[in-house]
Amino acid sequence: KSKKAKHKHRLRSSDLAKFSPQNPWIDLNVSKDELRPSATLTTGQCFNWIAVDRDDDDEEELLIDASNRSSFLLHPDNVESSSPPPTVSSTPSFVTPGKAASAWGKHDETEWVGPFHNNVVLSIRETPSTTLIRVLHDGSNNNNNETSRTEQIMDDVRDYFQLSIPLKPLYEQWSAQDCAAEKKDGVTEHKRMGRLTRIAQVIPGVRILKQDPLECLFSFICSSNNNIPRITQILSSLRERYGKLLIELPTYDDNDDDSEDVRNTLSTSTMKIFSFPTLEALQDASESDLRELGLGYRANYIIETRNLLTKKGGRDFLVSLRRIQTNNDTSHVQAADVVQAELLQFKGIGRKVADCVALFSLDQRNAIPVDVHVKNIAIRDYDDTLFTTVKSLTPSVYKRVGDVFRNRFRGGYAGWAHSLLFVAELPSFRSVLPSDIVQEMEEWKIQESEKKKKKLT
């Protein structure tokens, strides 16, 4: 029997170019050393950016970068301002695109679309030398003039990517700390190029996003004990049920089994993009409603967290946690601990989820979200004594693993350094890593698998 054709509903850049054609691409003027969206947007920090397939092959605007990727474009196709968006039917209310359903983003993706702050929908495009932004939709009802409104959105984008924090000096600082002299019996033997140092050379521009804390909190509650495709689908359903419809985009069918003449044709479906629900909108949700959306036992966590957060002051309470800051390594760790303790009050929030929320939305740059993967990085690369002493992630062990990174990467940005190491572990980035590092990863994976088998026998 022949296999059933697999239809993937995807977004295409030439279709998106027909929306708000009067809005140009705006250059963030940020080098690849300072920001690479491909290593930032779809690597586990957030779940709202959808990859777009590039098909806008205007040769006059084509840029070639032989040392990096093969081709990029700086501007969308020239479209008359009177050109209407394409007409398509909206059969399903939401279609998860093929790339968004993959476990992680890819290092060679170059364009994304997604909901942003204040009912805005953005396109983000990565070129070999910079990052471009285009507004597809602005539903903010802002009465300011068009120029000032655009400037406000761009300021929000810069704040979202935390571009006021120079990244290249941090990479250099972490590399120097990672290449620190090794000592044996108190005697300096040699210096080595650390693992982070080599990773930093091939994966530039990994930044920590500054997300809306309310969205970040509820998103990571939904992420617990879950996989990326399911998290994405649950959050899409939550947005659709309680958020605001922002824009409806055409998709195309990427059919693996069809012939070329019918492949990549415009789909009869659309993708609806919704804003994330406000706390007020979530007041209408019941546990049974959320279970119907696929949240399972997490439905109760959302309800209980919503109720407690409302009592504490809502979003303003979460924003207030950003002010818990100090100026040295020791006190930074204490600040992260204070924020973690505040977040642990909410049902469904464990230490890892608390530190994810703290790092990705509350300015706690020394917070280290620890799971088994991060523990393995700490053991394999920095402290093999953990191997014999750590059996499970108890609170004390959790802190000890986090301290491995905080003690090595001092200066208040250990959480950022840890995230660079985490990104390097993702399968889609293996092709850019030195071969010996990839081999070491594979060998470690085999060893861990064998250890698990022994435990079961």
Side-chain angles (χ1 to χ4, degrees):
K1 295 182 180 180
S2 61
K3 292 183 179 180
K4 186 177 179 180
K6 296 181 180 179
H7 292 270
K8 297 177 182 178
H9 300 285
R10 315 249 295 244
L11 295 173
R12 188 161 48 193
S13 57
S14 60
D15 294 329
L16 268 58
K18 298 169 185 175
F19 286 79
S20 301
Q22 72 279 7
N23 293 340
W25 288 102
I26 300 175
D27 194 341
L28 279 177
N29 292 312
V30 57
S31 72
K32 66 180 182 180
D33 289 330
E34 290 296 322
L35 171 64
R36 291 285 82 180
S38 57
T40 301
L41 293 178
T42 55
T43 51
Q45 294 189 52
C46 60
F47 312 97
N48 58 308
W49 295 104
I50 304 159
V52 177
D53 290 349
R54 297 290 302 279
D55 68 335
D56 41 358
D57 298 326
D58 186 339
E59 292 184 1
E60 293 183 359
E61 295 176 340
L62 201 61
L63 293 179
I64 304 299
D65 181 8
S67 66
N68 194 350
R69 304 184 182 93
S70 60
S71 62
F72 299 84
L73 294 170
L74 281 181
H75 305 287
D77 294 341
N78 292 325
V79 181
E80 296 296 331
S81 60
S82 59
S83 300
T87 302
V88 290
S89 67
S90 55
T91 308
S93 58
F94 180 86
V95 180
T96 302
K99 284 194 176 181
S102 64
W104 302 96
K106 297 181 179 180
H107 76 277
D108 56 355
E109 288 169 345
T110 61
E111 188 171 331
W112 305 263
V113 65
F116 192 58
H117 305 331
N118 300 319
N119 297 324
V120 169
V121 177
L122 293 180
S123 280
I124 298 177
R125 180 173 289 187
E126 178 180 306
T127 80
S129 58
T130 188
T131 297
L132 309 173
I133 306 294
R134 195 168 84 86
V135 179
L136 290 186
H137 172 80
D138 181 6
S140 64
N141 297 320
N142 192 296
N143 295 322
N144 293 339
N145 64 60
E146 184 175 339
T147 300
S148 62
R149 177 58 186 154
T150 300
E151 291 174 351
Q152 179 59 58
I153 292 174
M154 295 306 294
D155 285 344
D156 290 343
V157 170
R158 294 183 184 95
D159 186 56
Y160 180 69
F161 284 117
Q162 305 200 70
L163 295 182
S164 62
I165 300 172
L167 185 60
K168 188 176 180 180
L170 287 177
Y171 264 54
E172 293 170 350
Q173 174 183 311
W174 301 331
S175 295
Q177 291 167 333
D178 204 36
C179 290
E182 291 187 339
K183 292 185 177 182
K184 185 176 182 180
D185 298 328
V187 179
T188 300
E189 286 198 334
H190 65 284
K191 289 187 177 182
R192 64 178 180 86
M193 181 178 287
R195 188 187 195 85
L196 181 142
T197 308
R198 301 181 67 201
I199 289 171
Q201 293 173 349
V202 294
I203 308 181
V206 178
R207 280 189 169 272
I208 295 299
L209 301 172
K210 186 175 182 179
Q211 301 175 56
D212 177 81
L214 185 75
E215 178 176 350
C216 194
L217 179 73
F218 285 112
S219 294
F220 275 95
I221 288 176
C222 293
S223 76
S224 61
N225 297 315
N226 224 336
N227 58 56
I228 297 296
R230 183 164 172 76
I231 296 167
T232 301
Q233 187 58 58
I234 287 175
L235 292 175
S236 296
S237 298
L238 193 67
R239 287 174 179 274
E240 182 180 346
R241 183 72 172 269
Y242 299 103
K244 177 181 178 181
L245 177 61
L246 302 177
I247 198 171
E248 191 169 353
L249 300 172
T251 63
Y252 76 95
D253 284 339
D254 182 10
N255 186 344
D256 294 336
D257 293 338
D258 283 346
S259 59
E260 288 292 338
D261 59 338
V262 296
R263 188 180 298 173
N264 299 342
T265 57
L266 190 67
S267 172
T268 57
S269 301
T270 61
M271 181 185 300
K272 293 181 178 180
I273 293 183
F274 294 81
S275 64
F276 196 84
T278 62
L279 189 60
E280 291 72 24
L282 287 174
Q283 300 299 325
D284 297 331
S286 67
E287 184 173 339
S288 61
D289 292 335
L290 296 179
R291 284 184 177 274
E292 288 178 3
L293 297 181
L295 271 77
Y297 66 86
R298 302 170 194 84
N300 176 255
Y301 296 167
I302 296 293
I303 296 299
E304 293 293 329
T305 294
R306 176 201 67 189
N307 294 343
L308 180 57
L309 185 58
T310 300
K311 291 179 182 179
K312 284 180 168 290
R315 183 179 181 279
D316 289 344
F317 166 76
L318 295 175
V319 172
S320 72
L321 300 180
R322 290 175 173 169
R323 295 193 288 271
I324 302 177
Q325 295 288 339
T326 41
N327 299 317
N328 57 62
D329 284 298
T330 302
S331 52
H332 256 297
V333 175
Q334 291 173 346
D337 289 343
V338 171
V339 172
Q340 184 194 86
E342 290 286 348
L343 294 174
L344 286 174
Q345 299 177 62
F346 297 100
K347 193 167 184 179
I349 303 272
R351 285 174 176 77
K352 178 195 170 183
V353 168
D355 282 341
C356 284
V357 176
L359 179 62
F360 303 145
S361 71
L362 298 177
D363 292 339
Q364 299 304 318
R365 296 163 187 141
N366 248 13
I368 309 288
V370 176
D371 59 12
V372 64
H373 303 292
V374 173
K375 183 194 76 172
N376 285 340
I377 294 173
I379 294 172
R380 183 192 65 203
D381 301 335
Y382 298 114
D383 187 358
D384 58 8
T385 64
L386 286 167
F387 175 76
T388 56
T389 58
V390 171
K391 301 300 181 182
S392 61
L393 280 176
T394 63
S396 60
V397 168
Y398 184 99
K399 189 174 188 308
R400 181 181 169 188
V401 173
D403 285 344
V404 168
F405 298 96
R406 282 184 285 262
N407 291 335
R408 191 172 195 92
F409 303 110
R410 293 182 174 272
Y413 289 85
W416 288 46
H418 137 277
S419 293
L420 172 57
L421 293 166
F422 180 85
V423 167
E425 298 292 314
L426 301 179
S428 59
F429 285 82
R430 295 285 173 88
S431 63
V432 303
L433 294 175
S435 59
D436 61 309
I437 288 183
V438 174
Q439 182 179 351
E440 186 179 17
M441 288 178 174
E442 292 300 325
E443 291 174 351
W444 176 265
K445 184 177 179 180
I446 293 171
Q447 290 174 10
E448 289 300 296
S449 178
E450 291 175 349
K451 290 171 190 172
K452 289 181 180 178
K453 290 179 181 178
K454 289 181 179 179
K455 288 181 180 179
L456 295 175
T457 57

